[in-house]
Amino acid sequence: MTDGWRAYALLLGAMAIWGVNLSAVKVLTGALDVLTVAAVRMVVAAIALTVLLFLRRERLPVLRARDLLGLTACALFMVYGNQILFAGGLSRTTATNGALIMSLGPLVSTLLAALVFREALGARRLAGVIIGFAGVALVILNRPGAQLGGGSVGDLLILTSLVCFASGGIAVQKLSKAFTVLQISVVIHVIGSVLLVLHAALSPGARLADLTEASVTTWSLILYSGVLATALAAMVWNLSIARLGLARTAMGFYWVPIFGVGFAVAFMGEAVTAWHLVGLVGVIVGSRLGFARRGTG
């Protein structure tokens, strides 16, 4: 397997973990408040990444003021800002609206990459973005209970969280020239988790003390979400950005709801319709076109 295809395979594996994580986080937010869930997930992720750093015998980077500023900005956008805005937005709009807005990730990332790195969009890649989004829309809108709501502040917050995450990806692509992906992941998650814990501690709505009474099931989901979905999958995401570029990596977003629906079908009894299959074909075709090399088309 070539390095390129290995990178794609790792990315799809991370998207599968994120797809399952949608259900895990949904259960967690039923047991704990949103801010506590966000903070504890990031703390667990930061610990897991730090342990992995030492197991791989890598060292924390020696940071100049400029490097620290860049990594802090990345943490503010990709971890802290993304988590706060997404949680706040999802509480103000429907899950269907949120999922559809998040599916705009490849388009936002492609446009940002074109603006910052002057990457050629190409008709083939743009077609992939559009076809992939159409496929995801079919899958999401044909899920049981799917309901679109009117435009709201919540939708705007989720869209802003998406821009924050993509902006962090821009920073990762630049920082990967000076640091390893694991070093970047450790530093931004440590900074992001500290900011989230401080936010939760100062917020009247957060109940961090509830963690002391959390069940074994809740802690198991926290560990899955923090170690696998947040630490491991986020590191693979950053690695993909370093190897493939932000625009091509972002096409992986389309697979998150596909894996999420697949998990729901396999373990939660949801039915598969013909529209789901049509949507899956759209995602496959769109991803194939979107993963095209820069400048093709």
Side-chain angles (χ1 to χ4, degrees):
M1 183 182 290
T2 64
D3 288 342
W5 283 109
R6 187 178 292 110
Y8 295 138
L10 285 172
L11 179 60
L12 285 180
M15 297 305 96
I17 292 173
W18 278 356
V20 176
N21 190 54
L22 294 175
S23 298
V25 172
K26 184 176 181 180
V27 174
L28 285 174
T29 53
L32 302 166
D33 66 274
V34 173
L35 274 175
T36 297
V37 171
V40 73
R41 284 173 58 228
M42 294 305 145
V43 169
V44 170
I47 293 172
L49 286 166
T50 302
V51 170
L52 182 59
L53 183 81
F54 287 103
L55 288 176
R56 290 178 60 87
R57 298 183 179 180
E58 291 191 35
R59 296 182 178 181
L60 286 172
V62 177
L63 301 175
R64 298 170 299 175
R66 181 179 179 181
D67 298 328
L68 182 59
L69 183 62
L71 287 163
T72 300
C74 187
L76 282 170
F77 282 109
M78 207 169 193
V79 180
Y80 176 77
N82 175 59
Q83 289 289 324
I84 294 297
L85 290 167
F86 182 72
L90 203 56
S91 67
R92 292 174 174 84
T93 189
T94 65
T96 305
N97 280 36
L100 283 174
I101 293 168
M102 291 303 292
S103 298
L104 293 172
L107 177 59
V108 172
S109 298
T110 297
L111 293 176
L112 279 176
L115 180 65
V116 176
F117 298 116
R118 301 187 183 278
E119 292 185 5
L121 295 179
R124 182 178 179 182
R125 183 172 294 175
L126 284 176
V129 170
I130 294 170
I131 293 171
F133 177 75
V136 171
L138 285 174
V139 170
I140 293 171
L141 293 175
N142 283 280
R143 291 197 70 176
Q147 182 179 5
L148 281 171
S152 66
V153 173
D155 296 339
L156 180 60
L157 288 174
I158 292 177
L159 181 59
T160 306
S161 79
L162 184 60
V163 174
C164 278
F165 190 76
S167 299
I170 292 286
V172 168
Q173 190 164 335
K174 289 185 174 182
L175 290 166
S176 64
K177 297 176 181 178
F179 306 105
T180 69
V181 169
L182 184 52
Q183 288 174 330
I184 295 170
S185 299
V186 168
V187 175
I188 67 174
H189 279 85
V190 167
I191 295 173
S193 64
V194 169
L195 293 173
L196 284 168
V197 168
L198 288 174
H199 187 118
L202 296 173
S203 174
R207 301 183 305 275
L208 290 173
D210 288 354
L211 289 170
T212 60
E213 301 177 1
S215 66
V216 173
T217 299
T218 298
W219 274 108
S220 297
L221 291 174
I222 287 172
L223 290 174
Y224 171 84
S225 185
V227 175
L228 292 181
T230 306
L232 180 62
M235 191 178 71
V236 171
W237 179 265
N238 291 338
L239 181 64
S240 299
I241 290 175
R243 291 183 177 178
L244 306 173
L246 176 63
R248 293 164 73 193
T249 298
M251 295 302 295
F253 265 129
Y254 288 148
W255 285 95
V256 175
I258 300 298
F259 285 120
V261 170
F263 175 79
V265 168
F267 298 102
M268 300 175 69
E270 285 195 9
V272 178
T273 69
W275 287 113
H276 287 135
L277 298 178
V278 172
L280 175 60
V281 171
V283 169
I284 293 172
V285 173
S287 297
R288 180 67 185 87
L289 293 173
F291 279 135
R293 294 187 180 277
R294 297 181 182 89
T296 57

